[in-house]
Amino acid sequence: DTAVSQTPKYLVTQMGNDKSIKCEQNLGHDTMYWYKQDSKKFLKIMFSYNNKELIINETVPNRFSPKSPDKAHLNLHINSLELGDSAVYFCASSQARGPEQYFGPGTRLTVT
Amino acid sequence: AQTVTQSQPEMSVQEAETVTLSCTYDTSESDYYLFWYKQPPSRQMILVIRQEAYKQQNATENRFSVNFQKAAKSFSLKISDSQLGDAAMYFCAYRNRDDKIIFGKGTRLHILP
């Protein structure tokens, strides 16, 4: 039944580590996104993929690399984690040119 | 670049009363979408309501309605008959022609029993 799912929901790790967050959608959507929500609840887009092609790439450190093995999946890999990477990361999806984006439950990343 | 401003960081309303959350935006585009999303403590982002800029009629979804003033670039959300389950962060959002959604900083809504 889950439309947009993310794993894990919580991730605690140490500075310098590399980690991945996985996202899957079963809505048949063509476009997927990653957002970052900081400690002040500000939500900002990081990336979007349309049918496995990178469309939006905001000013994000190149330690962050999205990977889309197929149009139902968009994973986020983060190298050399820093304290400032602590945030909630949301995956979302939409139909191509469709207005609404449907969000996953979020992954709370804590870097210690 | 487009911006979205929510000038009320927090608001409170008595249960069963009506509350209006404000949102203004800045854009040079003529065709776009506006949204209100709700984020309860569970942190799930839930779409509340959507408005197409080309439609003059204000969108409504049950107890939720908007007042869309295109010339003034204003998009407020009215919640009628407030319920305890409405307590959440509410985000106003703008979708531009590049498919990017820009969010406001949010308004935390408290419902007083």
Side-chain angles (χ1 to χ4, degrees):
Chain A
D1 257 340
T2 306
V4 183
S5 60
Q6 294 179 228
T7 51
K9 287 202 169 62
Y10 298 92
L11 185 52
V12 181
T13 188
Q14 291 186 327
M15 280 175 57
N17 285 348
D18 303 339
K19 289 293 177 186
S20 291
I21 306 171
K22 294 186 177 181
C23 177
E24 177 180 3
Q25 55 93 4
N26 62 6
L27 297 166
H29 288 168
D30 298 307
T31 309
M32 296 183 72
Y33 311 81
W34 278 108
Y35 288 85
K36 178 181 180 181
Q37 186 175 43
D38 63 23
S39 58
K40 294 185 177 169
K41 301 289 189 185
F42 186 53
L43 200 63
K44 191 162 189 283
I45 191 165
M46 300 172 69
F47 303 102
S48 79
Y49 268 74
N50 180 269
N51 211 7
K52 301 197 294 174
E53 182 186 344
L54 180 65
I55 303 297
I56 295 171
N57 185 353
E58 290 295 282
T59 312
V60 175
N62 57 16
R63 298 182 295 103
F64 290 79
S65 53
K67 286 195 170 48
S68 181
D70 56 60
K71 73 175 194 177
H73 296 83
L74 181 62
N75 304 323
L76 184 65
H77 189 76
I78 316 170
N79 289 330
S80 304
L81 278 154
E82 300 177 357
L83 292 176
D85 298 331
S86 295
V88 179
Y89 292 85
F90 285 96
C91 177
S93 73
S94 71
Q95 290 279 19
R97 307 310 300 166
E100 289 102 358
Q101 294 182 13
Y102 296 87
F103 284 77
T107 296
R108 180 177 293 280
L109 171 65
T110 304
V111 182
T112 61
Chain B
Q2 297 90 12
T3 58
V4 176
T5 302
Q6 292 178 251
S7 58
Q8 305 148 318
E10 284 195 68
M11 292 191 73
S12 296
V13 64
Q14 210 74 36
E15 198 176 358
E17 297 291 304
T18 295
V19 65
T20 299
L21 308 185
S22 301
C23 174
T24 59
Y25 59 95
D26 190 26
T27 184
S28 58
E29 295 176 339
S30 58
D31 192 19
Y32 48 86
Y33 291 89
L34 295 162
F35 308 92
W36 280 96
Y37 278 88
K38 169 185 176 181
Q39 187 178 40
S42 67
R43 81 166 181 248
Q44 178 73 50
M45 292 289 288
I46 301 163
L47 178 65
V48 174
I49 201 164
R50 156 190 134 193
Q51 175 80 43
E52 291 92 334
Y54 64 86
K55 287 189 177 175
Q56 290 190 332
Q57 189 172 3
N58 289 324
T60 62
E61 285 289 339
N62 302 314
R63 297 182 295 108
F64 298 86
S65 61
V66 298
N67 183 2
F68 173 47
Q69 303 286 329
K70 191 172 183 180
K73 295 179 184 166
S74 167
F75 183 61
S76 60
L77 174 70
K78 185 170 87 170
I79 306 174
S80 304
D81 185 25
S82 298
Q83 299 175 2
L84 293 177
D86 295 334
M89 282 287 285
Y90 285 82
F91 293 94
C92 180
Y94 171 103
R95 200 204 84 168
N96 67 14
R97 70 171 129 231
D98 294 329
D99 210 20
K100 194 187 298 185
I101 289 190
I102 296 125
F103 286 88
K105 293 192 174 180
T107 296
R108 185 174 297 281
L109 179 64
H110 303 277
I111 309 295
L112 307 173

